[in-house]
């Protein structure tokens, strides 16, 4: 990999800034001054340093964010705060994006990465990635609702008339005027959870995603906080995909 590209990725700076660092004699490779931006770095063996600090190469980053309500799952918006606004500038690597969407009022687990290939595999409907939500609804939940969710239901669709949902798991926690439950789905249609409850005449009043592909939201993260995925979580996220 070219030296300027290596620096740009690792330090989260532009190619021009990287070239300037090289020109200003700030960059050593294996303790030797290098002034050529085209220098080819052996990522596994060369040691690149700047003012005595080793610059580790990191192409991809993976974060779990506890998305708060009021923030949108986009990279840029001129009206609302976006999930990228919650990421520290140093962590905000080029190409970082939220994997899938949560509605503005939905909270909980959102994965962010700059690994486009993995992001697209996770959101491709053909891959049936498992997602679990904690839900509070207005109205009583019954075993009939559990059956309807398990069978799949027809939701209205502008283009096709209706679309059938895949079997989903509804686990009732409490039932009453306001009921609480977990719902697990294997797809991600537009406003899917809210529309599924609408189908059984219930209104979602609180929605929080707690799991994606076996990775649970770290409950020590306050809304708006994020952390890197652990090696084990990343392994799980990539499992079964041809990357
Ligand atoms: N289903 C919804 O209705 N909203 C979300 O944010 C996620 C799933």
């Amino acid at each position: 990999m070219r030296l300027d590209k290596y620096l740009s990725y690792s330090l989260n700076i532009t190619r021009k800034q990287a070239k300037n660092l090289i020109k200003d004699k700030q960059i050593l490779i294996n303790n030797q001054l290098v002034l050529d931006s085209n220098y080819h770095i052996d990522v596994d063996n060369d040691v690149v340093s700047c003012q005595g600090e080793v610059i580790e190469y990191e192409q991809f980053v993976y974060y779990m964010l506890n998305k708060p309500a009021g923030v949108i799952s986009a990279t840029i918006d001129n009206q609302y705060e976006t999930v990228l606004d919650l990421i520290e500038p140093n962590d905000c690597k080029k190409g970082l994006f939220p994997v899938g969407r949560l509605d503005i009022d939905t909270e909980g687990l959102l994965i962010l990465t700059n690994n486009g290939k993995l992001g697209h595999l996770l959101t491709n409907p053909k891959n049936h990635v498992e997602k679990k939500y904690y839900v509070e609804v207005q109205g009583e939940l019954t075993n009939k609702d559990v059956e309807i969710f398990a069978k799949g239901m027809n939701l209205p669709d502008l283009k096709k008339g209706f679309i059938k949902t895949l079997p989903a798991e509804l686990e009732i926690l409490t039932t009453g005027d306001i009921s609480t439950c977990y719902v697990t789905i294997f797809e991600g249609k537009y406003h899917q959870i809210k529309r599924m409850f609408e189908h059984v005449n219930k209104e979602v009043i609180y929605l929080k995603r707690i799991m994606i592909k076996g990775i649970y939201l770290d409950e020590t993260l306050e809304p708006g906080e994020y952390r890197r995925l652990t090696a084990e979580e990343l392994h799980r996220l990539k499992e079964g995909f041809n990357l």
Side-chain angles (χ1 to χ4, degrees), residues 101-103 106 133 189 191-195 207:
R101 280 168 185 271
L102 290 177
D103 297 337
T106 303
Y133 295 83
K189 300 188 195 307
H191 295 326
Q192 179 158 347
I193 300 286
K194 290 174 186 162
R195 291 164 70 212
L207 183 57

Side-chain angles (χ1 to χ4, degrees), residues 159-175:
K159 278 193 200 143
K160 297 180 186 159
F162 68 87
I163 39 164
K164 179 140 194 200
T165 60
L166 292 173
E169 198 182 304
L170 169 61
E171 185 189 337
I172 300 172
L173 298 172
T174 59
T175 187

Side-chain angles (χ1 to χ4, degrees), residues 10 17 25 29 41 43 58 67 94 96 137 147-148 152 167 171 179 186 194 213 218 241:
S10 311
Q17 288 168 322
K25 302 186 179 165
I29 299 169
I41 301 286
V43 174
E58 185 181 47
K67 178 193 168 299
K94 256 182 242 127
L96 191 69
V137 298
E147 275 171 36
I148 294 171
E171 185 189 337
S179 304
F186 298 83
K194 290 174 186 162
K213 209 168 178 256
D218 180 338
F241 292 145

Side-chain angles (χ1 to χ4, degrees), residues 61-66 74-75 83-84 87 96-99 110-115 226 229:
V61 289
Y62 306 89
Y63 304 123
M64 77 156 63
L65 167 74
N66 184 359
T75 51
V83 288
L84 281 203
I87 308 296
L96 191 69
F97 69 100
V99 176
L110 195 64
I111 305 277
L112 292 106
T113 182
N114 54 349
N115 183 340
Y226 67 95
L229 291 189

Side-chain angles (χ1 to χ4, degrees), residues 140-156 163-172 182-185 187 192-202:
E140 281 183 29
L141 287 171
T142 64
N143 286 337
K144 180 83 195 138
D145 298 326
V146 175
E147 275 171 36
I148 294 171
F149 274 57
K151 265 201 206 141
M153 62 186 83
N154 288 331
L155 297 178
I163 39 164
K164 179 140 194 200
T165 60
L166 292 173
E169 198 182 304
L170 169 61
E171 185 189 337
I172 300 172
Y182 290 126
V183 178
T184 305
I185 56 176
E187 54 193 338
Q192 179 158 347
I193 300 286
K194 290 174 186 162
R195 291 164 70 212
M196 286 167 89
F197 281 101
E198 217 174 279
H199 182 86
V200 293
N201 301 314
K202 262 62 121 186

Side-chain angles (χ1 to χ4, degrees), residues 210-225:
I210 57 166
M211 184 270 279
I212 300 172
K213 209 168 178 256
I215 298 166
Y216 278 83
L217 176 66
D218 180 338
E219 290 292 346
T220 66
L221 292 174
E222 295 291 332
E225 288 184 343

